[in-house]
Amino acid sequence: MDFTETPSADQLETFPNPKPGRDYSIEIICPEFTSVCPKTGQPDYGTIVFTYTPGEKCVELKSLKLYLQRFRNQGIFYEQVTNRLLDDFVEASQPVRCVVVSKWTPRGGISTNVTASYTAEQTRPG
Amino acid sequence: MDFTETPSADQLETFPNPKPGRDYSIEIICPEFTSVCPKTGQPDYGTIVFTYTPGEKCVELKSLKLYLQRFRNQGIFYEQVTNRLLDDFVEASQPVRCVVVSKWTPRGGISTNVTASYTAEQTRPG
Amino acid sequence: MDFTETPSADQLETFPNPKPGRDYSIEIICPEFTSVCPKTGQPDYGTIVFTYTPGEKCVELKSLKLYLQRFRNQGIFYEQVTNRLLDDFVEASQPVRCVVVSKWTPRGGISTNVTASYTAEQTRPG
Amino acid sequence: MDFTETPSADQLETFPNPKPGRDYSIEIICPEFTSVCPKTGQPDYGTIVFTYTPGEKCVELKSLKLYLQRFRNQGIFYEQVTNRLLDDFVEASQPVRCVVVSKWTPRGGISTNVTASYTAEQTRPG
Amino acid sequence: MDFTETPSADQLETFPNPKPGRDYSIEIICPEFTSVCPKTGQPDYGTIVFTYTPGEKCVELKSLKLYLQRFRNQGIFYEQVTNRLLDDFVEASQPVRCVVVSKWTPRGGISTNVTASYTAEQTRPG
Amino acid sequence: MDFTETPSADQLETFPNPKPGRDYSIEIICPEFTSVCPKTGQPDYGTIVFTYTPGEKCVELKSLKLYLQRFRNQGIFYEQVTNRLLDDFVEASQPVRCVVVSKWTPRGGISTNVTASYTAEQTRPG
Amino acid sequence: MDFTETPSADQLETFPNPKPGRDYSIEIICPEFTSVCPKTGQPDYGTIVFTYTPGEKCVELKSLKLYLQRFRNQGIFYEQVTNRLLDDFVEASQPVRCVVVSKWTPRGGISTNVTASYTAEQTRPG
Amino acid sequence: MDFTETPSADQLETFPNPKPGRDYSIEIICPEFTSVCPKTGQPDYGTIVFTYTPGEKCVELKSLKLYLQRFRNQGIFYEQVTNRLLDDFVEASQPVRCVVVSKWTPRGGISTNVTASYTAEQTRPG
Amino acid sequence: MDFTETPSADQLETFPNPKPGRDYSIEIICPEFTSVCPKTGQPDYGTIVFTYTPGEKCVELKSLKLYLQRFRNQGIFYEQVTNRLLDDFVEASQPVRCVVVSKWTPRGGISTNVTASYTAEQTRPG
Amino acid sequence: MDFTETPSADQLETFPNPKPGRDYSIEIICPEFTSVCPKTGQPDYGTIVFTYTPGEKCVELKSLKLYLQRFRNQGIFYEQVTNRLLDDFVEASQPVRCVVVSKWTPRGGISTNVTASYTAEQTRPG
Ligand SMILES: [Ca+2]
Ligand SMILES: [Ca+2]
Ligand SMILES: [Ca+2]
Ligand SMILES: [Ca+2]
Ligand SMILES: [Ca+2]
Ligand SMILES: [Ca+2]
Ligand SMILES: [Ca+2]
Ligand SMILES: [Ca+2]
Ligand SMILES: [Ca+2]
Ligand SMILES: [Ca+2]
Ligand SMILES: [Ca+2]
Ligand SMILES: [Ca+2]
Ligand SMILES: [Ca+2]
Ligand SMILES: [Ca+2]
Ligand SMILES: [Ca+2]
Ligand SMILES: [Ca+2]
């Protein structure tokens, strides 16, 4: 693992949704996320949960793990990283809908959770 | 038990719904599911929960247990098996509606849950 | 206690609802239910929860306890007994609405919960 | 404390709602309630939870505590006392809405919870 | 830390919302809040939870921590402080919406939770 | 139930130990104890746990329940009542050994537990 | 299952200890025990835990389950049944040592646990 | 409450041990302790548990509560305050033995607990 | 993974203890164990916990995982497999001491745990 | 924070034990430890707990936090790092005794905990 590589949506691999005609959901719970606070230089620790309804593609779990590990030494704030994770996940897999929740361990006695979601625009028949 | 037999909807036995005129639900929690990851050859472990409203038939629990055990040495991914379990359950029992949730133990520090559901098309009076 | 007496709705005693003009609910949790599986002859153990909105009558708790004990040596399946408990409760107390949930201890590694509900037809002014 | 004094809505003191223009809610959890079963003469123990949206007045907590203690030696059934607590609370504080939940410790292996609620009639502009 | 300084909305610092075009939410859990009961002179202890959807600004966490610490020796009631925290948070950050929940440790065997919320008036196109 | 009767060791009934030759233990958990603080006049609430090795006699549970209920309106401090319960239990049943633990609900944010024990002097062969 | 058959140590089947030279322990947790209170005629419900070090024999689990089910309609007190279960287990399997714990659901707000143990007399070399 | 008064052992009031001839223990759990870190000026929050066997005197709970509140604005480290609380408790009540445990909320992702104990020197017969 | 290969101590790989002069312990928790009951042909599921003090060698975790997976289709009883796991672990790594605990999911409403331990004979200086 | 700096006992700062004459203990719980597995290159995550009795010196918490963070990108095995943490802690603070426990998140479905301890040789009077 090269922890100096920059994370990018391109690192997320996908495979064809095995049941594309059904509106079902996949929840992926990642309790070992860590990044670095750009202000204090101190590490942050959190759990990231992706919940999505696949469109044509499902996200491959090992590539997701490696992608998340690339944030290990990146300086990025809670709000930024949560929105970034959602944007990358959507770019890579183009889901019908997706929610990303990040839950962070306490700093200064205060805990923070961030929730961001995406819904694909419906393509309507012409 | 012959763990080499292929699982199939035909193995699910049913009995007549004892209260066919009432819209009620049955939840069946199966925490001892195991199959094999086709990519790594490693065993997967999960809990499967079926929640359904019976139509004419209820699913007999012992046949469900034996059916689930037949996945023990089958190579199948999370998303596939969840949709497969739903399809087989629907084929065998033709419920009014059914939800299948699979919750898998962590791999590489990441846990995955999959939720798929089915609703019978309503037959409308002509 | 005579455990050979057959359970029946007539054994459920009621008392007048002390607040008949208010739509309120009563939840009764009975974790010591036991009956016998007709197929295996083995005892089943479960928790029964009644949640109802009384009409003219409330169900008296001691008679409910004795009524439930009469299932101790009765052979009856999960789905049957849940619907039976609801039918008897409704017959005895004529509630505005009622839900019965039964939650059974695991058999063969599988747990089952059954939920059935009743709503009185609204009497409309003529 | 004089445990022989009869409880009454007049004993509930109020203070002006500090934010009368906002629809907000106050939950008060009272786990030390006790009264006496009129049928058996045995003490009952429960938790009472009031959740209300104040109108012009908020209920003062110390007076609520003393009011609840006056039920200590009163004979009163679960359903009665729950409705009585709601009626007294509403009479004393005239809330926008109020829910009272009572949760009782088990008797004869059976637990009971009662939920009653009140909503003020909306005053419409003339 | 000077615990004699009066808390004020001006002490809450903000930074630009990094994703202003998305309707997402931030939950901030502060379990170390303490103030003083004006009636008894005794300290109160509570957990404050802010949940908001940012508009143009996000609230900076360290300034929020210091702002909350300034209530340490302030005499203020539960209902007042909850509404005050909401008002200050809204004034400082002008969120799309915000909920404040305060959960207080028991006094006299009674626990209290207060929930207040704010929604910005929608600016409609002219 | 007459809550004005004074509690006394004489009210504890016993029955012959069914296995007097074996050193075994009986734990009795009573979570519904209440008495009154002599200083404040406020009710106290606690759980009493008796753990004893019977000698010739076992304590009958219903008489223990009624004995404990007689403290309902008695003014008595935590330390006193715990030692009193131990003394009465020992006087009535003459156990080989006995421990009494009382665990009280919080007052002023502080919880108290008291533990007292007794061991019979060994009668030595002459 | 014939619930009228009297339970007896003879019903406990054993098999040869697969590791007779090692001092190891087996814990068997039986949460579905029920018998009848001889005084009130009401059913009792409890969990029985056997912990033993086998000598020459191990107890076969299915026979233990059937043996315990034969108490279903037997009138027997907590202290009696606990000592009886220990005596029967020892008679049937002659363990090096054995502990039986019974934990009963509350009656009249009071819970009871009974613990009895046995240690084989050591055979000393002559 | 005057939070500027310095805490001192003299503020702990005592009352005569009601059972001086018995070696029993009293546990006092105080989850609302707060003081100030002398290094950072930030408030610390902790739970203090005293467990002692009284000699001639018991500690009066209300005076203990007020004594602990006087640390509210005192600058003192974890190790110091724990040993100080033990010294003051011993000086005021001269117990047979005493243990003080302090459990602190996390700072910088790290939690700390400190345990200190005292045993009176035994007075031996001359 | 070839689930037909027979498990054997030879499959457990070791590496040199990095701190051979210190008496320290390593606990390895394996919640995904499964084997087959030889009597019923049904799968068993359990958690295996190894706790050992290494001598010259530590057990390599990946080889332990693969070794445990080889029991997947083996018919073996609870007591046998627990003692077998201990014997193989000891043979492969020659620890100073080792405890193996197996905790099995319920069958017929009964759960079983088995605990076996080993201590190396002390080599005494000549 | 410079995550490339090598961790070393010299980075642990100490302060004089405020109560050197008393044998008391300090427990420090660090749930945010991370290092890298030298074999797989994958990050490991664990909780480290230090429990020690100080001699002349106490370990300063902020320096401990920074020292632990320096393992972030270090390749080191579970057994090594646990013994290393103990050795560094002892070298820096020369405690009377110290225990280090490391509890690691699961890998391949297996969790590992390591416990190592140190006791100072007693200096005996000459
Ligand atoms: Ca979720
Ligand atoms: Ca923190
Ligand atoms: Ca469910
Ligand atoms: Ca998983
Ligand atoms: Ca309910
Ligand atoms: Ca079940
Ligand atoms: Ca509530
Ligand atoms: Ca009860
Ligand atoms: Ca509270
Ligand atoms: Ca106990
Ligand atoms: Ca208390
Ligand atoms: Ca304690
Ligand atoms: Ca362990
Ligand atoms: Ca089992
Ligand atoms: Ca510890
Ligand atoms: Ca692990």
Side-chain angles (χ1 to χ4, degrees):
Chain A
M1 185 76 224
D2 179 354
F3 297 127
T4 61
E5 195 174 349
T6 305
S8 137
D10 299 341
Q11 294 148 356
L12 291 170
E13 296 173 18
T14 61
F15 61 92
N17 177 356
K19 195 77 181 185
R22 181 176 284 155
D23 189 319
Y24 70 102
S25 76
I26 303 170
E27 177 186 36
I28 309 170
I29 304 164
C30 310
E32 300 184 346
F33 188 84
T34 181
S35 54
V36 176
C37 175
K39 188 171 172 182
T40 63
Q42 290 288 302
D44 286 329
Y45 297 90
T47 293
I48 309 296
V49 181
F50 299 88
T51 308
Y52 75 110
T53 294
E56 298 299 311
K57 307 180 212 173
C58 290
V59 171
E60 197 273 325
L61 289 175
K62 189 171 180 189
S63 73
L64 179 62
K65 180 182 76 169
L66 296 176
Y67 161 79
L68 292 174
Q69 289 177 359
R70 289 192 181 94
F71 286 89
R72 186 173 183 84
N73 293 326
Q74 300 283 315
I76 189 165
F77 289 109
Y78 295 165
E79 294 85 357
Q80 284 179 303
V81 72
T82 310
N83 281 292
R84 164 80 177 279
L85 293 171
L86 177 58
D87 289 344
D88 284 357
F89 199 95
V90 168
E91 178 184 333
S93 70
Q94 300 188 286
V96 175
R97 71 191 75 83
C98 183
V99 181
V100 175
V101 179
S102 62
K103 309 178 188 180
W104 304 90
T105 61
R107 287 293 167 261
I110 290 181
S111 298
T112 304
N113 303 326
V114 184
T115 302
S117 55
Y118 161 88
T119 304
E121 294 178 29
Q122 285 192 300
T123 310
R124 294 189 198 82
Chain B
M1 185 76 224
D2 179 357
F3 297 127
T4 61
E5 194 175 347
T6 305
S8 135
D10 299 342
Q11 295 148 356
L12 291 170
E13 295 173 18
T14 62
F15 60 93
N17 177 355
K19 195 77 180 184
R22 180 176 284 155
D23 188 319
Y24 71 102
S25 76
I26 302 169
E27 178 186 36
I28 309 171
I29 304 164
C30 310
E32 301 184 346
F33 188 84
T34 182
S35 54
V36 176
C37 175
K39 189 170 171 181
T40 64
Q42 290 288 302
D44 286 328
Y45 298 89
T47 293
I48 309 296
V49 181
F50 299 88
T51 308
Y52 75 109
T53 293
E56 298 298 312
K57 307 181 212 172
C58 291
V59 172
E60 196 273 325
L61 290 175
K62 189 171 180 188
S63 73
L64 178 62
K65 180 182 75 169
L66 296 176
Y67 161 79
L68 292 174
Q69 289 178 358
R70 288 193 181 94
F71 286 90
R72 187 173 184 84
N73 294 327
Q74 300 284 315
I76 189 165
F77 290 108
Y78 295 166
E79 294 84 359
Q80 283 179 304
V81 72
T82 310
N83 281 293
R84 164 78 178 280
L85 293 172
L86 177 58
D87 289 343
D88 284 357
F89 199 95
V90 167
E91 178 183 333
S93 71
Q94 300 188 285
V96 175
R97 71 191 73 84
C98 184
V99 181
V100 175
V101 179
S102 63
K103 309 178 188 180
W104 305 89
T105 61
R107 287 294 167 260
I110 290 181
S111 297
T112 304
N113 303 327
V114 184
T115 302
S117 55
Y118 161 88
T119 304
E121 296 178 28
Q122 284 190 298
T123 311
R124 294 190 197 79
Chain C
M1 184 78 225
D2 179 356
F3 297 128
T4 60
E5 194 174 347
T6 305
S8 135
D10 299 340
Q11 294 147 357
L12 291 170
E13 295 174 18
T14 61
F15 61 92
N17 177 356
K19 194 77 181 185
R22 179 175 285 155
D23 189 318
Y24 71 101
S25 76
I26 302 170
E27 178 186 36
I28 308 171
I29 305 164
C30 310
E32 300 183 346
F33 188 84
T34 182
S35 54
V36 176
C37 176
K39 190 170 172 181
T40 64
Q42 291 287 303
D44 286 329
Y45 297 89
T47 293
I48 309 296
V49 181
F50 299 88
T51 307
Y52 75 110
T53 293
E56 298 298 312
K57 307 182 213 171
C58 291
V59 172
E60 197 274 327
L61 290 175
K62 189 170 179 188
S63 73
L64 178 62
K65 180 183 75 170
L66 296 176
Y67 160 80
L68 292 174
Q69 289 177 359
R70 289 194 181 93
F71 286 90
R72 187 174 184 84
N73 293 328
Q74 300 284 315
I76 189 165
F77 290 109
Y78 295 166
E79 294 83 359
Q80 283 178 304
V81 73
T82 310
N83 281 293
R84 165 79 178 280
L85 293 171
L86 177 58
D87 289 343
D88 285 356
F89 199 95
V90 167
E91 178 184 332
S93 71
Q94 300 187 286
V96 175
R97 72 192 72 84
C98 184
V99 182
V100 175
V101 179
S102 64
K103 309 178 188 179
W104 305 89
T105 62
R107 287 294 167 259
I110 291 182
S111 297
T112 304
N113 303 327
V114 184
T115 301
S117 55
Y118 161 88
T119 304
E121 295 178 28
Q122 284 190 298
T123 311
R124 295 190 197 79
Chain D
M1 185 77 225
D2 179 356
F3 295 128
T4 60
E5 195 174 349
T6 305
S8 137
D10 299 341
Q11 294 148 356
L12 290 170
E13 296 174 17
T14 62
F15 61 92
N17 178 356
K19 194 76 181 186
R22 179 176 285 154
D23 189 317
Y24 70 103
S25 76
I26 302 170
E27 178 185 34
I28 308 171
I29 305 164
C30 310
E32 299 183 347
F33 188 84
T34 182
S35 55
V36 176
C37 176
K39 189 169 171 182
T40 63
Q42 290 288 302
D44 286 329
Y45 298 89
T47 293
I48 309 296
V49 181
F50 299 89
T51 308
Y52 76 110
T53 294
E56 298 298 311
K57 306 182 213 173
C58 291
V59 172
E60 196 273 326
L61 290 174
K62 190 171 179 189
S63 73
L64 178 63
K65 180 182 75 170
L66 295 176
Y67 161 79
L68 292 173
Q69 288 177 0
R70 288 194 181 93
F71 286 90
R72 187 173 184 83
N73 294 328
Q74 301 283 316
I76 189 165
F77 289 109
Y78 294 166
E79 294 84 358
Q80 284 178 303
V81 72
T82 310
N83 281 292
R84 163 80 178 278
L85 292 171
L86 177 58
D87 290 343
D88 284 356
F89 199 95
V90 167
E91 178 185 331
S93 71
Q94 300 189 285
V96 174
R97 72 190 72 84
C98 184
V99 182
V100 175
V101 179
S102 63
K103 309 178 188 179
W104 304 90
T105 61
R107 287 294 167 260
I110 291 181
S111 299
T112 305
N113 303 327
V114 184
T115 302
S117 56
Y118 162 87
T119 304
E121 295 178 27
Q122 285 190 299
T123 311
R124 295 190 196 80
Chain E
M1 184 76 225
D2 179 356
F3 295 127
T4 62
E5 195 174 347
T6 305
S8 136
D10 299 342
Q11 294 148 356
L12 291 170
E13 296 173 17
T14 62
F15 61 91
N17 178 355
K19 195 76 181 186
R22 180 176 284 154
D23 188 319
Y24 70 102
S25 76
I26 303 169
E27 177 185 34
I28 309 171
I29 305 164
C30 310
E32 299 183 347
F33 188 83
T34 181
S35 53
V36 176
C37 175
K39 190 169 170 182
T40 63
Q42 290 288 303
D44 286 329
Y45 297 90
T47 293
I48 309 295
V49 181
F50 299 88
T51 308
Y52 76 109
T53 293
E56 299 298 312
K57 305 181 214 174
C58 291
V59 171
E60 196 273 326
L61 289 175
K62 189 171 180 189
S63 73
L64 178 62
K65 180 183 75 170
L66 296 175
Y67 160 79
L68 292 174
Q69 288 177 0
R70 288 193 182 93
F71 285 90
R72 187 172 182 83
N73 294 327
Q74 300 284 316
I76 189 165
F77 290 108
Y78 295 166
E79 294 85 357
Q80 284 179 301
V81 72
T82 311
N83 282 291
R84 163 81 177 278
L85 292 171
L86 178 57
D87 289 343
D88 285 357
F89 199 95
V90 167
E91 178 185 332
S93 70
Q94 301 188 286
V96 175
R97 73 191 71 85
C98 183
V99 181
V100 175
V101 179
S102 63
K103 309 178 187 180
W104 304 89
T105 62
R107 287 292 168 260
I110 291 181
S111 298
T112 304
N113 304 326
V114 184
T115 302
S117 56
Y118 161 88
T119 304
E121 295 178 29
Q122 285 190 299
T123 310
R124 295 189 197 80
Chain F
M1 184 76 226
D2 179 356
F3 296 128
T4 62
E5 195 175 348
T6 306
S8 136
D10 298 342
Q11 294 148 356
L12 291 170
E13 295 174 19
T14 62
F15 61 91
N17 178 355
K19 195 74 181 188
R22 180 176 284 156
D23 189 318
Y24 71 102
S25 77
I26 302 169
E27 178 185 35
I28 309 170
I29 304 164
C30 310
E32 299 184 347
F33 188 83
T34 182
S35 53
V36 176
C37 175
K39 190 170 170 181
T40 63
Q42 290 287 303
D44 286 329
Y45 298 89
T47 292
I48 309 295
V49 181
F50 299 88
T51 308
Y52 76 109
T53 294
E56 298 298 312
K57 306 181 211 173
C58 291
V59 171
E60 196 274 326
L61 289 175
K62 189 171 180 190
S63 72
L64 179 62
K65 180 182 75 169
L66 296 176
Y67 160 79
L68 291 174
Q69 289 177 359
R70 289 193 181 95
F71 285 90
R72 188 173 183 83
N73 293 328
Q74 300 283 316
I76 189 164
F77 290 108
Y78 294 166
E79 294 85 356
Q80 283 178 303
V81 72
T82 311
N83 281 292
R84 163 81 178 278
L85 293 171
L86 177 58
D87 290 344
D88 284 356
F89 199 95
V90 167
E91 179 184 332
S93 71
Q94 301 190 285
V96 175
R97 73 190 73 84
C98 183
V99 181
V100 175
V101 178
S102 63
K103 309 178 188 181
W104 305 89
T105 61
R107 287 294 168 260
I110 291 182
S111 297
T112 303
N113 303 328
V114 184
T115 302
S117 57
Y118 161 89
T119 305
E121 296 178 27
Q122 284 191 298
T123 311
R124 295 187 196 83
Chain G
M1 185 75 225
D2 179 356
F3 297 126
T4 62
E5 195 174 347
T6 305
S8 137
D10 299 342
Q11 294 148 357
L12 291 170
E13 296 173 20
T14 62
F15 61 91
N17 177 355
K19 195 76 181 186
R22 179 176 285 155
D23 188 319
Y24 71 102
S25 76
I26 302 169
E27 178 185 37
I28 308 170
I29 304 164
C30 311
E32 299 184 347
F33 188 83
T34 181
S35 53
V36 176
C37 175
K39 191 170 169 181
T40 63
Q42 290 288 302
D44 286 328
Y45 298 89
T47 293
I48 309 296
V49 181
F50 299 88
T51 309
Y52 76 108
T53 294
E56 298 298 311
K57 307 180 211 172
C58 290
V59 171
E60 197 272 327
L61 290 175
K62 189 171 180 190
S63 73
L64 178 62
K65 180 182 76 169
L66 296 175
Y67 160 80
L68 291 174
Q69 288 177 0
R70 288 191 182 95
F71 286 90
R72 186 173 183 83
N73 293 329
Q74 300 284 315
I76 189 164
F77 290 109
Y78 294 166
E79 295 84 356
Q80 283 178 305
V81 73
T82 311
N83 281 292
R84 164 80 178 279
L85 293 172
L86 177 58
D87 289 343
D88 285 357
F89 199 95
V90 167
E91 179 185 332
S93 70
Q94 301 189 287
V96 175
R97 71 190 74 84
C98 183
V99 181
V100 175
V101 179
S102 63
K103 309 178 188 180
W104 304 90
T105 62
R107 285 295 167 260
I110 291 181
S111 298
T112 303
N113 303 327
V114 184
T115 303
S117 56
Y118 161 88
T119 305
E121 295 178 28
Q122 285 191 300
T123 311
R124 295 188 198 82
Chain H
M1 183 76 225
D2 179 356
F3 296 128
T4 62
E5 195 174 347
T6 306
S8 137
D10 299 341
Q11 292 148 357
L12 291 170
E13 295 174 19
T14 62
F15 62 91
N17 177 355
K19 195 74 181 187
R22 180 176 283 155
D23 189 318
Y24 71 102
S25 76
I26 303 169
E27 178 185 35
I28 308 170
I29 304 164
C30 310
E32 299 183 348
F33 188 83
T34 182
S35 53
V36 176
C37 175
K39 190 169 170 182
T40 63
Q42 289 288 302
D44 286 328
Y45 297 89
T47 292
I48 309 295
V49 181
F50 299 88
T51 307
Y52 76 110
T53 294
E56 298 298 312
K57 306 181 212 175
C58 291
V59 171
E60 197 273 326
L61 290 174
K62 189 171 179 190
S63 72
L64 179 62
K65 180 182 75 170
L66 296 176
Y67 160 80
L68 291 173
Q69 289 177 359
R70 289 192 181 94
F71 285 90
R72 188 173 183 84
N73 293 328
Q74 300 283 315
I76 189 164
F77 289 108
Y78 294 165
E79 295 84 356
Q80 283 178 303
V81 72
T82 310
N83 281 292
R84 164 80 179 280
L85 292 171
L86 178 57
D87 290 344
D88 284 357
F89 199 95
V90 167
E91 178 184 332
S93 71
Q94 301 188 285
V96 174
R97 73 190 73 83
C98 183
V99 181
V100 175
V101 179
S102 63
K103 309 178 187 178
W104 304 90
T105 61
R107 286 293 168 261
I110 292 181
S111 298
T112 305
N113 302 327
V114 184
T115 302
S117 56
Y118 161 89
T119 305
E121 296 179 26
Q122 285 190 298
T123 310
R124 295 188 197 82
Chain I
M1 184 75 225
D2 178 356
F3 296 127
T4 62
E5 194 174 348
T6 305
S8 135
D10 299 341
Q11 294 148 356
L12 290 170
E13 296 174 19
T14 62
F15 61 91
N17 178 356
K19 194 77 181 186
R22 179 175 285 154
D23 188 319
Y24 71 101
S25 76
I26 302 169
E27 179 185 36
I28 309 170
I29 305 165
C30 311
E32 299 183 347
F33 188 84
T34 182
S35 53
V36 176
C37 176
K39 190 170 171 180
T40 62
Q42 289 288 301
D44 286 329
Y45 298 89
T47 293
I48 310 294
V49 181
F50 299 89
T51 308
Y52 76 109
T53 293
E56 298 299 311
K57 309 181 211 172
C58 290
V59 171
E60 197 272 327
L61 290 175
K62 189 170 180 189
S63 72
L64 178 62
K65 180 183 76 169
L66 296 176
Y67 160 79
L68 293 173
Q69 288 177 0
R70 288 191 182 95
F71 286 90
R72 187 174 184 83
N73 293 328
Q74 300 283 316
I76 189 164
F77 290 108
Y78 295 166
E79 295 84 357
Q80 283 179 303
V81 72
T82 311
N83 281 292
R84 164 81 179 280
L85 293 172
L86 178 57
D87 290 343
D88 284 357
F89 199 95
V90 167
E91 178 184 333
S93 71
Q94 300 188 289
V96 175
R97 72 192 72 84
C98 183
V99 182
V100 174
V101 179
S102 63
K103 309 178 188 181
W104 304 90
T105 62
R107 285 294 167 264
I110 291 182
S111 297
T112 304
N113 303 327
V114 184
T115 302
S117 56
Y118 161 88
T119 305
E121 297 178 26
Q122 284 191 299
T123 311
R124 294 189 198 82
Chain J
M1 184 76 227
D2 179 356
F3 296 128
T4 62
E5 194 174 348
T6 305
S8 136
D10 298 342
Q11 294 149 357
L12 290 170
E13 295 174 19
T14 62
F15 60 91
N17 177 356
K19 195 75 181 187
R22 181 176 284 155
D23 189 317
Y24 71 102
S25 77
I26 302 170
E27 179 185 35
I28 308 171
I29 304 164
C30 310
E32 298 183 347
F33 188 84
T34 182
S35 53
V36 176
C37 176
K39 190 169 170 183
T40 63
Q42 289 288 302
D44 286 328
Y45 297 89
T47 292
I48 309 295
V49 181
F50 299 88
T51 308
Y52 76 110
T53 294
E56 298 298 312
K57 307 181 211 173
C58 290
V59 171
E60 198 272 328
L61 290 174
K62 189 170 180 190
S63 73
L64 178 62
K65 180 182 75 170
L66 296 176
Y67 160 80
L68 292 173
Q69 289 177 359
R70 288 193 182 95
F71 285 90
R72 188 172 183 84
N73 293 329
Q74 300 283 316
I76 189 164
F77 290 108
Y78 294 166
E79 295 84 357
Q80 283 179 303
V81 72
T82 311
N83 281 292
R84 164 81 179 280
L85 292 172
L86 178 57
D87 289 343
D88 284 357
F89 199 95
V90 167
E91 178 184 332
S93 71
Q94 300 190 286
V96 175
R97 73 191 72 83
C98 184
V99 181
V100 175
V101 179
S102 63
K103 309 178 188 180
W104 304 89
T105 61
R107 287 293 167 261
I110 291 182
S111 297
T112 304
N113 303 327
V114 184
T115 302
S117 57
Y118 161 88
T119 305
E121 296 178 26
Q122 284 191 298
T123 311
R124 294 190 197 82

